[in-house]
Amino acid sequence: MSKVDSHVLAAWLDDTLQAARFKDYCPNGLQVEGRSEVGHIITGVTASEALLRIAVERGADAVLVHHGWMWRNEDRRVIGTRRTRMALALKNDLNLYAYHLPLDAHPTLGNNAQLARVLGLEPERRDDGTPRTCGPDNLVWLGTAPDLATVGQLAARIQQRLGRQPLVVGNPDQPVARIAWCTGGAQGMLADAIDAGATAYITGEASESTFHLAQETGVAFLGAGHHATERYGVQALGQAVAERFGIKVEFVDLDNPV
């Protein structure tokens, strides 16, 4: 079985996702250093205890996720669940790679690009071919759903493709033209989508104020699940790693209703 140096893999991931250009809420890249060579990776959305245990059971050398550890404003003490997770990784010599905003934003492998693929959304493109975006770090994508005419049809597509009934704020019969989307917890970017002329906005979660902003502006809001919208970028990235280095990569989907 092929293997790659753990730091060579980290450098390739950093470069591919342009990790250095993001001012993120957590460190991106190699978060925990394990064994020196990687031949088997488990990918998933979040570096939870459950995912780490599966990686250990399957004899993996590394875990690659979207949601890693050491988030801004977290308690930095190594106690409780943090101690349990870290002990698992260190005892079993697991490498942990995590990419947050860089994985949201990548133009082909990212969560937004992959959600568009899954839902059949057609991104708008600039003259240079890059996706038309708005919001902080250009994280909100803009586009259309050529074969869908109403909010209700868009909600039905989300339920069918993601296996999750979305939270919908808006009239199901309301027409949709320009659609904006940003996976995960991007409800705070609804205002950016509105300013960009969107008639509907798709993200993962909602806040109390989201309802009022959607109601008062007439822009439909669809909350499709934080986890549900962010399952696809890490799968695409894992496939790219497998093709580049010839190593074994498995995606594990541990369902999360949020």
Side-chain angles (χ1 to χ4, degrees):
M1 182 176 65
S2 298
K3 291 191 175 185
V4 58
D5 182 277
S6 61
H7 290 280
V8 169
L9 176 58
W12 184 86
L13 288 165
D14 288 350
D15 182 63
T16 298
L17 298 176
Q18 298 182 359
R21 78 178 182 87
F22 292 90
K23 186 177 181 181
D24 212 334
Y25 317 108
C26 59
N28 288 298
L30 180 60
Q31 291 191 338
V32 176
E33 185 177 12
R35 61 199 64 163
S36 61
E37 291 187 317
V38 175
H40 182 189
I41 301 176
I42 294 294
T43 67
V45 176
T46 299
S48 63
E49 178 185 343
L51 187 69
L52 294 173
R53 291 196 181 281
I54 289 172
V56 172
E57 290 168 5
R58 297 189 185 181
D61 305 303
V63 173
L64 171 62
V65 296
H66 179 49
H67 299 138
W69 299 342
M70 295 167 280
W71 297 88
R72 184 188 303 163
N73 298 327
E74 272 190 338
D75 186 342
R76 296 183 180 181
R77 294 177 296 170
V78 184
I79 60 175
T81 58
R82 172 176 281 186
R83 178 188 182 279
T84 301
R85 291 178 178 183
M86 285 191 171
L88 262 175
L90 294 171
K91 178 182 178 181
N92 294 282
D93 214 14
L94 282 174
N95 292 280
L96 172 61
Y97 303 91
Y99 293 89
H100 186 231
L101 295 183
L103 187 55
D104 287 323
H106 193 275
T108 57
L109 302 175
N111 284 319
N112 285 330
Q114 292 298 313
L115 184 64
R117 177 187 61 80
V118 171
L119 294 181
L121 304 177
E122 184 66 38
E124 296 178 13
R125 300 285 178 182
R126 298 186 176 93
D127 292 341
D128 62 0
T130 59
R132 191 172 298 280
T133 57
C134 67
D137 283 317
N138 292 305
L139 288 171
V140 178
W141 285 38
L142 301 167
T144 59
D147 58 340
L148 302 177
T150 67
V151 170
Q153 291 175 357
L154 181 57
R157 172 69 60 79
I158 290 171
Q159 183 171 2
Q160 176 194 33
R161 301 282 175 88
L162 302 190
R164 188 72 49 84
Q165 183 173 355
L167 168 69
V168 180
V169 181
N171 183 343
D173 296 325
Q174 178 180 333
V176 291
R178 172 178 267 183
I179 299 172
W181 65 95
C182 185
T183 65
Q187 63 268 41
M189 299 181 194
L190 173 58
D192 297 291
I194 292 168
D195 290 343
T199 57
Y201 179 57
I202 305 168
T203 188
E205 302 181 31
S207 297
E208 192 274 343
S209 59
T210 305
F211 172 82
H212 303 292
L213 183 58
Q215 285 272 291
E216 293 170 15
T217 60
V219 173
F221 175 88
L222 298 97
H226 194 137
H227 176 90
T229 58
E230 296 196 323
R231 290 177 292 190
Y232 306 103
V234 73
Q235 292 183 63
L237 182 61
Q239 183 177 345
V241 168
E243 292 172 355
R244 173 66 178 80
F245 296 104
I247 62 178
K248 182 179 180 180
V249 180
E250 297 181 84
F251 174 71
V252 176
D253 187 16
L254 298 175
D255 192 36
N256 182 334
V258 176

